[in-house]
Amino acid sequence: MTLFQLPQFRLGSASATLAIAGSAICFGLVPLFVRELQGLGAGPATIALYRYGFSALLLLPFLPLEKSKRGGALLLIGAGVVFSLSLIGYLEALVTAPVAAAGVVYMTYPVFAALFAFLLLRQALSWRSFAAAGLVILAAALLLDPSSLSPEVFEALVWAFPAPVAFGFLVVVLSGLASQLNSLERTACGLFGSVIGLLPLALQEGQGSLLPATGTEWSLVLAMGLLTALVPQLVFTVACQKVGPVRSAAAGSFELPTMFVIGWWVFGEELGAREMFSALLVLAAILIAPAISGGRRKMVAAELS
């Protein structure tokens, strides 16, 4: 192993699923940093750029430049651009709506991951795929009660929906459509694409200024970059290749109960029977979601090459 390689862990299906769930817990910490930075005057595009920019700079040397890897690299960069732009509405929802409500909207992404896996990887939509997606949708529906949402909150949640669509696509690209790239290269391309998409918007928000102004902001930015982007994204990228997009998306839904706890413990939001039952449904989806066998992944990669 050289200095510029990730250690090669032998992950089985179960351990890879647990690794993705652990990454999802880190992703679920995002509302903490979003609300703190928003309170200090940062806009959603700037916050998103802070989250991914630090990691993108560290991984810049790993951008693949070989001709044989350009197709996969450009696909991942494009997916990163689309995802970063869609993330703006979700970050706005985290400020306007309850964390749990924004979380359940975002956690519909396993449905879109299954759909994109069917369209792009030719992975059959088995009863387990439908069941896992249905459980996540049911968990979301339990918490999105129109009678308890103001028009402003409802509008914010509607604008949050492009984010799970884009992330579902990104999961499929990471796990099955860039087989010529290693894990570091995949992560670098996705993060670089995110920065490309967010940079113009952040410059407009900050009127040409991007750097944090205080030590507190710098601390929040560095912590957010490490805890919610660089480390969990690397773990997710390695692990998702072991189990495929559907189980990756379902295990990633563990972000939802994490957000419930953050909303209740930190922001004083209600955590009742409906929230707890929704979290149990998400956990059930993780157990039901199918993985792609090693042979199937190799066959798909060969067909797409």
Side-chain angles (χ1 to χ4, degrees):
M1 183 184 72
T2 69
L3 180 63
F4 300 107
Q5 290 179 319
L6 285 175
Q8 297 299 310
F9 298 107
R10 293 191 175 183
L11 288 176
S13 179
S15 56
T17 302
L18 288 175
I20 293 171
S23 300
I25 292 175
C26 293
F27 294 145
L29 301 177
V30 169
L32 285 173
F33 298 99
V34 169
R35 292 197 175 181
E36 286 292 329
L37 288 168
Q38 193 270 343
L40 293 173
T46 303
I47 294 172
L49 182 66
Y50 286 164
R51 182 186 178 193
Y52 296 117
F54 173 70
S55 303
L57 284 175
L58 289 179
L59 295 179
L60 193 61
F62 301 103
L63 278 176
L65 302 178
E66 298 94 327
K67 185 177 180 180
S68 61
K69 297 184 177 183
R70 287 177 189 170
L74 289 175
L75 182 61
L76 265 173
I77 290 172
V81 170
V82 173
F83 174 62
S84 67
L85 295 176
S86 72
L87 198 62
I88 302 300
Y90 171 63
L91 295 180
E92 290 277 18
L94 283 176
V95 176
T96 306
V99 171
V104 295
V105 169
Y106 190 67
M107 287 306 113
T108 60
Y109 75 80
V111 179
F112 301 106
L115 179 59
F116 285 122
F118 169 71
L119 294 174
L120 301 176
L121 297 180
R122 298 173 222 167
Q123 180 178 349
L125 293 174
S126 66
W127 73 266
R128 294 176 66 182
S129 299
F130 281 111
L135 288 173
V136 174
I137 291 175
L138 179 58
L142 284 174
L143 291 184
L144 295 179
D145 182 2
S147 64
S148 63
L149 300 176
S150 67
E152 293 78 11
V153 170
F154 183 78
E155 182 180 358
L157 293 175
V158 168
W159 281 105
F161 265 104
V165 178
F167 190 58
F169 175 68
L170 182 58
V171 167
V172 171
V173 175
L174 281 171
S175 61
L177 285 178
S179 58
Q180 68 269 49
L181 305 182
N182 63 38
S183 297
L184 274 173
E185 290 169 339
R186 296 183 195 208
T187 306
C189 289
L191 291 172
F192 185 66
S194 297
V195 170
I196 291 175
L198 291 166
L199 187 58
L201 297 176
L203 284 170
Q204 184 179 19
E205 276 184 356
Q207 298 180 346
S209 176
L210 287 177
L211 295 179
T214 66
T216 300
E217 288 181 275
W218 274 108
S219 299
L220 288 169
V221 168
L222 292 176
M224 179 173 62
L226 287 173
L227 294 177
T228 75
L230 179 61
V231 174
Q233 187 62 53
L234 284 171
V235 172
F236 184 94
T237 302
V238 172
C240 74
Q241 299 169 59
K242 305 294 182 180
V243 296
V246 176
R247 184 175 290 186
S248 295
S253 296
F254 205 82
E255 183 177 346
L256 180 58
T258 304
M259 294 179 72
F260 287 170
V261 174
I262 295 296
W264 166 70
W265 190 17
V266 179
F267 303 120
E269 297 175 359
E270 181 181 357
L271 186 59
R274 283 195 304 177
E275 287 79 10
M276 296 302 295
F277 187 58
S278 295
L280 290 175
L281 290 175
V282 169
L283 295 177
I286 295 173
L287 298 176
I288 291 175
I292 298 178
S293 66
R296 174 62 178 159
R297 286 197 304 275
K298 292 175 183 177
M299 183 177 72
V300 168
E303 290 173 347
L304 291 172
S305 63

